Amino acid sequence: MQITTSTKNNLNSDCIVLFAKSGGDLLPYAKVIDKTCGSAISKAIKNSRFQGGEEEVFIINAPVSNEISQVVVVGMGDINQANIDSWRLAGIASGKALDTTGVVSSSIIFEKTKLAEQDIAESFAEGIHLAMYRFDRFLTNQKKHQQSAFEKLILIVEDEKSPALKTVIKNVNALMEGVNITRDLVNLPANFANPDLMVKTAKDLKKDKISVQILGEKELKKLGMGMLLAVGQGSAQESRLIVMKYNGNGKAPYKAVVGKGVMFDTGGYDIKPAAGMLHMKADMGGAGAVMGMMKALAKRKSKVNVIGVCGCVVNMISENAFLPGDVLTSYKGLTVEVGNTDAEGRLVLGDALAYIVDKEKPAEVIDIATLTGACMVALGGSYAGMFTEHTNIAKALKKSGEVTGENLWRLPVNKKYGSMLKSKIADIGNMGSSPYGGSSTAAAFLQKFVGDTPWAHLDIAGVAMIDKIGGNIPVTGAGGFGVRLLVNYLENNPK
Ligand code: BES
Ligand code: MG
Ligand code: ZN
């Protein structure tokens, strides 16, 4: 699906989308269209229940004039209160309505509001893309009329030639290509999404001028990544560390983004109960976000230098699996006693973080991971947890969260939490000594492997899968959390 821009004298598509405010009154540009069809649209609204509230839609599945064969009216509620989140939600509502009608293309009459046109266009276009995504590859009985039909959205704006707006739309199309890669990877079950698929996805990025290095078990063993390897050693699938580099800013220093790619988390011998295990195909949401982020940065030709790292393993039970009580030697040299095989994400990330910091000396490192159930308990589905001692990074990340609707809530991490990771026989344990503050002790474990490099950790356990506990956007399954956030952050903070 592609979005383009055009001007009013170009209304040649199957359908037209208009906006209304609370009370059901059409907004100014929509009113102009309504006049051209003898007020057919406003009359139809008057005869309906439509009140123009946020996310409310009104569909006319019949011609209202010679030019306009179908109409979708989208409510904006109190238009003076509408912010970019409202426009994203309006985009999603419009997309769902267009999908319902089955049209192939549509024009959409954009309105002037207090907000900058580019900002609302960006957010709205994101919403349309989010709504049009489908994960239906395993539905073999879909009839033609049930399949996705929509191909092209034409944004009707005052000044089509406005280069800024054209660029914004082009960039959203590129961004959402990345988001859709992430959504596919996270939605795919573990019998499809295994470390090999991550390797294949990374190799596909080579055509976007991203350099890709794959480290297999032999190399990882040589490098001494005893923690990452331990988590994957119970699986028949080979563990992989994937390192991708995108250069869009010459000789400037790189920032690194590291994703947890536990392709499935059974919990290991500390096995998860059935209900807790069901969604664990999504335990690679962090690595999935890193893949989509790399794709988006390259497609947008972002002026940033970024290293993306994915630690990809499967946490299984077998005669080869690691055991509770095992002592592992990490890449950094610290020995770690396994208090619980289900606290595996920190083991994978600890080695990946230590390696990339040591090897590439990035200016900054961010990790993104479905790390703890505790974070999901604390924040639910509307915020991801953000852990950093660097207030500047926290502020900038929070701002990107607000702009993209992928919101972050800062939770504490520091040495005090780190001191709760005690072991009697190894340097540290992978479990906190208390059952409380589980997401902060997990973050503090990671902190021990990062050293002095400015670092932030994002715990996305509660937000990687939207339909599990609800989230900021009304879509099902994976919403690609992290891609829009990280691209915004990296582009606005290139140094
Ligand atoms: N993958 C889970 C975290 C998780 C839970 C993600 C729910 C998404 C939804 C992680 O590996 C895990 O099992 N963490 C344990 C840690 C505990 C054993 C210290 C947890 O959160 O219970
Ligand atoms: Mg686990
Ligand atoms: Zn896990």
Side-chain angles (χ1 to χ4, degrees), residues 260 262 265 272 280 283 342 344-345 370-371:
K260 169 179 172 182
V262 175
D265 182 14
K272 285 185 183 297
M280 285 302 133
D283 210 20
D342 198 12
E344 85 298 339
T370 49
L371 202 66

Side-chain angles (χ1 to χ4, degrees), residues 94-105:
S94 308
K96 285 182 175 175
L98 289 169
D99 186 49
T100 305
T101 64
V103 292
V104 174
S105 69

Side-chain angles (χ1 to χ4, degrees), residues 170-171 173-179 181 201-202 204-212 244-249 290-306 483 487 490-491:
K170 226 177 88 193
N171 281 338
N173 288 336
L175 176 66
M176 299 313 286
E177 232 184 279
V179 170
I181 287 179
T201 307
D204 281 351
L205 293 173
K206 284 185 182 173
K207 63 174 183 286
D208 299 304
K209 298 208 173 75
I210 288 172
S211 73
V212 178
M244 298 162 285
K245 262 192 193 178
Y246 167 71
N247 181 299
N249 194 16
V290 170
M291 288 291 176
M293 173 197 79
M294 295 306 287
K295 178 76 177 182
L297 291 173
K299 281 267 155 186
R300 287 161 72 92
K301 300 196 167 60
S302 304
K303 292 188 172 46
V304 297
N305 288 344
V306 177
V483 179
V487 168
L490 293 165
E491 286 184 355

Side-chain angles (χ1 to χ4, degrees), residues 14 48 57 136 378 418 454:
D14 313 348
S48 78
V57 293
D136 56 3

Side-chain angles (χ1 to χ4, degrees), residues 14-28:
D14 313 348
C15 183
I16 187 162
V17 179
L18 306 172
F19 295 102
K21 58 183 177 180
S22 16
D25 298 328
L26 293 169
L27 289 179

Side-chain angles (χ1 to χ4, degrees), residues 416-473:
K416 185 93 189 132
Y417 286 101
S419 71
M420 292 160 79
L421 296 154
K422 287 220 162 55
S423 160
K424 290 203 171 69
I425 63 163
D427 297 334
I428 55 171
N430 77 333
M431 280 282 290
S433 49
S434 128
Y436 305 114
S439 29
S440 289
T441 48
F445 182 93
L446 301 179
Q447 190 169 39
K448 291 180 185 293
F449 294 87
V450 180
D452 295 330
T453 306
W455 160 77
H457 154 61
L458 306 177
D459 193 332
I460 59 166
V463 294
M465 269 287 173
I466 290 169
D467 43 4
K468 203 168 46 167
I469 50 175
N472 289 347
I473 46 173

Side-chain angles (χ1 to χ4, degrees), residues 132-411:
M132 288 299 177
Y133 171 88
R134 285 198 189 190
F135 186 70
D136 56 3
R137 69 182 70 180
F138 299 125
L139 301 176
T140 60
N141 276 324
Q142 276 197 119
K143 306 276 176 327
K144 183 95 182 80
H145 72 277
Q146 296 171 311
Q147 288 164 15
S148 162
F150 198 78
E151 284 167 15
K152 190 173 172 194
L153 184 76
I154 308 152
L155 219 57
I156 304 292
V157 291
E158 206 143 9
D159 182 8
E160 182 201 352
K161 296 214 173 56
S162 158
L165 198 61
K166 267 214 150 77
T167 309
V168 163
I169 296 301
K170 226 177 88 193
N171 281 338
V172 172
N173 288 336
L175 176 66
M176 299 313 286
E177 232 184 279
V179 170
N180 288 350
I181 287 179
T182 304
R183 296 182 77 176
D184 278 348
L185 287 172
V186 179
N187 281 325
L188 275 169
N191 60 330
F192 288 83
N194 52 27
D196 279 345
L197 182 69
M198 297 299 274
V199 167
K200 186 184 167 296
T201 307
K203 284 185 174 163
D204 281 351
L205 293 173
K206 284 185 182 173
K207 63 174 183 286
D208 299 304
K209 298 208 173 75
I210 288 172
S211 73
V212 178
Q213 191 194 5
I214 313 286
L215 303 175
E217 287 180 356
K218 221 174 106 195
E219 290 101 330
L220 296 171
K221 202 165 189 172
K222 236 189 235 156
L223 286 163
M225 294 205 207
M227 295 197 296
L228 186 151
L229 284 169
V231 178
Q233 78 190 30
S235 169
Q237 314 260 352
E238 186 177 350
S239 300
R240 296 284 187 23
L241 189 78
I242 303 172
V243 181
M244 298 162 285
K245 262 192 193 178
Y246 167 71
N247 181 299
N249 194 16
K251 294 214 156 67
Y254 279 81
K255 291 191 176 186
V257 183
V258 182
K260 169 179 172 182
V262 175
M263 307 310 293
F264 194 88
D265 182 14
T266 64
Y269 274 94
D270 290 303
I271 191 167
K272 285 185 183 297
M277 200 189 297
L278 183 61
H279 293 285
M280 285 302 133
K281 68 171 185 180
D283 210 20
M284 37 60 69
V290 170
M291 288 291 176
M293 173 197 79
M294 295 306 287
K295 178 76 177 182
L297 291 173
K299 281 267 155 186
R300 287 161 72 92
K301 300 196 167 60
S302 304
K303 292 188 172 46
V304 297
N305 288 344
V306 177
I307 305 170
V309 182
C310 297
C312 302
V313 302
V314 193
N315 188 16
M316 294 289 284
I317 294 172
S318 80
E319 62 179 330
N320 300 318
F322 75 140
L323 297 171
D326 280 0
V327 175
L328 316 173
T329 302
S330 63
Y331 176 84
K332 198 179 169 106
L334 282 173
T335 56
V336 179
E337 184 184 10
V338 178
N340 191 313
T341 59
D342 198 12
E344 85 298 339
R346 63 196 76 180
L347 300 173
V348 174
L349 283 177
D351 270 348
L353 283 164
Y355 170 76
I356 212 67
V357 163
D358 177 39
K359 196 88 188 158
E360 301 287 347
K361 314 225 165 4
E364 186 179 304
V365 59
I366 296 174
D367 75 76
I368 177 162
T370 49
L371 202 66
T372 65
C375 191
M376 182 164 72
V377 170
L379 299 177
S382 294
Y383 290 84
M386 166 174 61
F387 304 77
T388 179
E389 291 203 273
H390 297 265
T391 300
N392 293 342
I393 302 181
K395 274 194 185 143
L397 274 170
K398 180 169 181 283
K399 180 153 183 238
S400 293
E402 284 161 3
V403 171
T404 58
E406 295 191 325
N407 294 90
L408 301 174
W409 196 268
R410 193 174 178 184
L411 293 167

